[in-house]
Amino acid sequence: MSVTLIDQVLGAVEAAADEAAAFTADLVRIPTVNPPGDAYPECARAIGERLARAGCEVEYLEAEGRPEHTAAHPRVNVVGTRRGAAARPLVHLNGHFDVVPAGDGWTVDPFGGLIRDGRIYGRGACDMKAGLAAAVFAVEAIRRAGVELAGTVEVSGTVDEESGGYAGVAWLAERGRIAAGRTDAVIIPEPLGVGRICVGHRGVYWFEVETRGRIGHGSMPFLGVNAVDGMGLVLRAFRDELQPALASRTTAVPVVPEGARHATLNVNGIEGGQRVGGIQTPCVADRCRAVFDRRFLLEEGFDATKAEVLDLVARAAGRMPGVAHAVRDLMVVPPVRTPDDSPVIAALAGAIARVRGEAATLVASPGTYDHKHVAAIAGVPHCVAYGPGELEMAHQPDEWCTISDLTTATKVLALAVLELTGTVARGR
Ligand SMILES: [Zn+2]
């Protein structure tokens, strides 16, 4: 019985492959560029209407109370619910529908939704409108196969992932729409590759360092204290002392690519003294600021990460008499890691093996995505990313996703939903 049912669902996905590709292309044609957050209501409606046809109850949830939710750029999220015999188990499939700006270097129209040679092209085709289409068509295939779920599936299309997700997944989680005690598992179809399950990401510590000196005449620099020179000492300590230490630390979390398996530090920007290209002013720079992006490992923890930075900045700046310094936190995102024995990993791994005939690979992301809000705000531990498309394609010119990846991911998601809602057990 359940083998037949699984085959029927897989057959329904296969039969809907062109429709799913066309739906992805339709979404690509809605230019949901973020920043600033264009065309969100239109895209939410397109997803909502398709979910309604897939038998879902649809709600449009505007991010009331968020400063970025404005009349010019409303932040509209959409959630479709297909309720089965019971409210739970509840599986939530979440995809963001905002995309980064197109940028230069395209040979096709970034918002044309071109389908050619088995690929869907355009900004967001890979990250992650194909993933959203896979979630929607997983539910549609279950409906077409005539399956009544034992539990419930939700599909959400959310805003602003590319800018932090505060009006999107974080907002839904703050309002209890995605929450422990309600939501049993969350799958985010980000483009990690159809054979890979993403079980988390490293932590982020964004901080600003400021050095202060004393202004003086540029012709008599010995009468002032140059804050840019002070920052130079900090940069040098980061490069000569901190970076080799970070490179030697390796996480057991399977972060890809390989280079991101270590702790890293990037200087994002620096400014100090006279503005370069500005009006000439013969002064000793009395103030310099720089912004850093430190990615830390689960094994390091935030407290030790910050303490190490504070110590190093103090020692470096202290080498130059008269230089004062300050460190300010700009953003802290704790690392996340799905438990190894999580049912969401088992369900996806089983589905991947069945659909692709190969064992799944567990990976972790070098950057962060909405998983952080599911873990920290919603408190749902059973969350992973799994979706169509190649990670390396994200944010690139001529971005594309193959229809075959889209179909594979849709099959895997559909089977995972069947298992996680308790509709069929794996392997039967
Ligand atoms: Zn994405």
Side-chain angles (χ1 to χ4, degrees), residues 133-228:
V136 171
F137 275 81
V139 175
E140 172 69 350
I142 289 168
R143 184 189 70 82
R144 287 186 187 177
V147 178
E148 197 208 356
L149 294 173
T152 295
V153 62
E154 292 179 337
V155 177
S156 63
T158 53
V159 302
D160 287 357
E161 189 275 344
E162 300 290 2
S163 53
Y166 299 102
V169 170
W171 191 87
L172 291 181
E174 280 159 6
R175 271 145 195 86
R177 201 61 187 70
I178 302 172
R182 176 182 191 283
T183 312
D184 294 290
V186 177
I187 303 173
I188 303 176
E190 287 273 10
L192 270 300
V194 291
R196 308 200 294 187
I197 302 168
C198 181
V199 296
H201 56 70
R202 296 180 298 171
V204 185
Y205 177 37
W206 260 10
F207 61 92
E208 178 189 307
V209 175
E210 179 176 313
T211 50
R212 280 184 182 276
R214 199 178 65 245
I215 197 162
H217 199 288
S219 67
M220 297 171 283
F222 43 85
L223 296 180
V225 177
N226 197 309
V228 174

Side-chain angles (χ1 to χ4, degrees), residues 378-399:
V380 176
H382 304 300
C383 175
V384 295
Y386 171 80
E390 304 292 327
L391 189 57
E392 292 74 13
M393 246 314 128
H395 303 191
Q396 294 277 335
D398 285 351
E399 180 181 342

Side-chain angles (χ1 to χ4, degrees), residues 95-96 98 126-129 161-162 188-191 368-370 391 394-395:
H96 68 85
D98 59 315
C126 163
D127 183 12
M128 60 172 289
K129 286 173 169 173
E161 189 275 344
E162 300 290 2
I188 303 176
E190 287 273 10
T368 76
Y369 54 102
D370 280 331
L391 189 57
H395 303 191

